[in-house]
C-alpha cells in the first residue's frame, strides 16, 4: 500500500527535471497525477506513459502557469479528469541570469510572472476546491537562493524565490483553518536543464565539482532527492507541519558556517 493511495496531484512543470521526478515519486506512492507542461509536450507525455505503466492514472496538460487563465484551466482539468484534487506541487520555474543593473526589464517581468505569479494563480485555483473539501497539501519549490546564497547573476531569481517562501507562510496562515497544509522545499544545486543549459560540458563538470565541495555530503543533488521530500510533505505523515521551508541541499558548508 502506497502512502498516497487514492490521492490526486497536480505538478506544475512536470515534464522535466525536478518536476518529472516529483510526478514519478508521487505516482509510485499511489497518486494519480496531472502533469503540467508549457513547451515540452513530448517530455510530459513520456512522464504520463511511465505513470500509466505503474498502474496509476495520469494526464498531460499544457498551460503557462504565469498566465492566470492557463493556471486555472490546468487545475480545473485535473479535477475534471480525476474528480478531485488533494495535492498541488508548484514546481514550474525559470532562471534568467542577470544582476539588477543588467537584467532586461522584460526578462525580470517574465521570471516574476512564472516563478511568483504561477504559484499565486495555481494556489488560488487549487485552494478553491481544497477549501470545500477541507483537505489539501500544497508544496512550493523555492530555492536556497531565496534564503541567501551569494551566487553571481542570480539576484533577481533569488528575489522571486524569497517571494515563494513568504507566500508559503502567508498561505499556510490563510488556509490552515481549512485543513490545508502549505509547505516549501528549498533545493540546493540539482543537475537539471536549468543548471546545465547554456554551459559546455567542462563548465558543467566544474560547477558540479565546486558545488559538491560546498556540501557536507560531498555531492550535488539529484531530482529524486527533492522528490522524496515532496512525497513526505504530500503525505499525512506531515499533517502537523505547515508554513515550513525544508532546505534540501546536502548540507551546504557555506550556509552552516556562514562563510564563503
Ligand atoms: P528545469 O529542468 O528547467 O525544468 C523546469 C520545468 O518548469 C519544466 O518542466 C518546464 O516545462 C516548466 N516550466 C517552465 N516555465 C513554465 C511555465 N510558464 N508554465 C508551466 N511550466 C513551466 O528546472 P528544474 O531544475 O527542474 O527546476 C524546477 C524547480 O526547482 C524550479 O522552480 C526551480 O527554480 C527550482 N530549483 C531548481 C534548482 C536546481 O538546482 N535545479 C535549485 C533550486 C530550485 P516546459 O519544458 O514544458 O516549459
Amino acid at each position: 500500500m502506497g502512502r498516497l493511495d487514492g490521492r490526486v496531484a497536480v505538478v506544475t512543470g512536470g515534464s522535466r527535471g525536478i518536476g518529472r521526478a516529483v510526478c514519478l515519486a508521487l505516482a509510485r506512492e499511489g497518486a494519480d497525477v496531472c502533469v503540467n507542461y508549457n513547451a515540452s509536450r513530448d517530455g510530459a507525455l513520456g512522464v504520463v506513459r511511465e505513470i500509466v505503466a505503474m498502474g496509476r492514472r495520469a494526464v498531460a496538460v499544457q498551460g503557462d502557469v504565469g498566465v492566470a487563465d492557463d493556471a486555472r484551466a490546468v487545475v480545473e482539468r485535473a479535477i475534471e479528469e480525476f474528480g478531485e484534487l488533494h495535492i498541488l506541487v508548484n514546481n514550474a520555474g525559470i532562471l534568467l541570469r542577470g544582476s539588477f543593473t543588467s537584467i532586461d526589464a522584460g526578462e525580470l517581468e517574465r521570471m516574476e510572472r512564472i516563478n511568483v505569479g504561477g504559484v499565486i494563480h495555481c494556489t488560488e485555483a487549487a485552494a478553491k476546491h481544497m477549501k470545500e473539501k477541507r483537505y489539501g497539501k500544497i508544496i512550493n519549490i523555492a530555492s536556497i537562493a531565496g534564503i541567501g546564497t551569494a551566487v553571481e547573476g542570480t539576484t533577481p531569481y533569488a528575489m522571486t524565490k524569497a517571494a515563494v517562501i513568504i507566500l508559503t507562510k502567508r498561505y499556510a496562515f490563510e488556509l490552515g483553518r481549512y485543513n490545508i497544509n502549505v509547505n516549501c522545499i528549498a533545493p540546493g544545486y540539482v543537475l537539471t536543464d536549468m543548471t546545465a543549459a547554456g554551459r559546455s560540458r567542462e563548465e558543467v563538470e566544474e560547477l558540479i565539482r565546486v558545488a559538491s565541495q560546498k556540501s557536507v555530503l560531498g555531492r550535488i543533488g539529484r531530482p529524486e532527492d527533492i522528490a522524496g521530500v515532496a512525497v513526505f510533505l504530500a503525505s499525512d505523515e506531515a499533517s502537523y507541519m505547515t508554513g515550513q521551508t525544508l532546505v534540501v541541499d546536502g548540507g551546504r558548508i557555506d550556509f552552516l558556517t556562514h562563510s564563503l
Side-chain angles (χ1 to χ4, degrees):
M1 195 173 137
R3 283 186 285 170
L4 303 176
D5 280 346
R7 301 281 187 248
V8 172
V10 169
V11 179
T12 68
S15 51
R16 298 184 278 126
I18 293 171
R20 173 181 179 276
V22 170
C23 289
L24 297 176
L26 294 174
R28 221 169 276 126
E29 287 295 334
D32 296 325
V33 186
C34 170
V35 182
N36 159 251
Y37 68 98
N38 186 31
S40 305
R41 184 167 181 269
D42 288 350
L45 290 175
V47 176
V48 165
R49 274 195 297 275
E50 284 189 69
I51 294 174
V52 170
M54 292 177 205
R56 304 260 48 94
R57 295 180 296 173
V59 63
V61 181
Q62 196 281 332
D64 177 346
V65 295
V67 174
D69 285 349
D70 274 28
R72 204 171 301 125
V74 168
V75 170
E76 281 168 8
R77 176 71 204 286
I79 297 168
E80 219 175 85
E81 187 82 19
F82 302 123
E84 45 197 343
L85 175 65
H86 308 97
I87 302 161
L88 167 67
V89 183
N90 283 311
N91 162 80
I94 59 169
L95 163 58
L96 301 174
R97 292 190 171 79
S99 70
F100 268 112
T101 47
S102 71
I103 195 165
D104 172 82
E107 288 204 331
L108 178 60
E109 187 274 332
R110 188 169 151 235
M111 194 157 56
E112 288 170 338
R113 194 170 58 74
I114 296 170
N115 293 6
V116 186
V119 173
I120 293 172
H121 305 317
C122 292
T123 301
E124 188 189 346
K128 196 173 152 211
H129 176 84
M130 290 172 173
K131 277 159 91 170
E132 276 173 26
K133 301 287 173 186
R134 291 282 198 281
Y135 185 93
K137 309 280 184 191
I138 298 174
I139 298 142
N140 297 325
I141 309 295
S143 165
I144 55 170
I147 299 170
T149 46
V151 179
E152 288 293 337
T154 58
T155 299
Y157 172 77
M159 179 268 293
T160 66
K161 291 302 184 176
V164 172
I165 291 170
I166 191 62
L167 281 175
T168 301
K169 292 186 200 210
R170 299 303 310 193
Y171 286 152
F173 170 63
E174 289 183 28
L175 298 173
R177 72 200 73 160
Y178 302 100
N179 190 34
I180 299 171
N181 304 65
V182 189
N183 289 294
C184 182
I185 300 174
Y189 187 90
V190 180
L191 190 63
T192 62
D193 293 342
M194 177 175 281
T195 39
R199 294 193 157 110
S200 67
R201 212 175 126 198
E202 291 71 32
E203 285 171 333
V204 170
E205 276 169 12
E206 179 58 10
L207 256 176
I208 293 173
R209 194 186 63 76
V210 171
S212 299
Q213 279 176 351
K214 286 186 176 173
S215 148
V216 170
L217 296 178
R219 67 170 176 87
I220 59 161
R222 297 178 290 246
E224 293 72 24
D225 292 320
I226 310 306
V229 179
V231 167
F232 165 65
L233 291 175
S235 77
D236 286 331
E237 288 164 25
S239 282
Y240 199 49
M241 278 181 69
T242 197
Q244 302 305 306
T245 295
L246 297 185
V247 173
V248 184
D249 68 351
R252 283 277 292 246
I253 290 161
D254 47 343
F255 268 33
L256 295 175
T257 63
H258 293 275
S259 64
L260 278 174

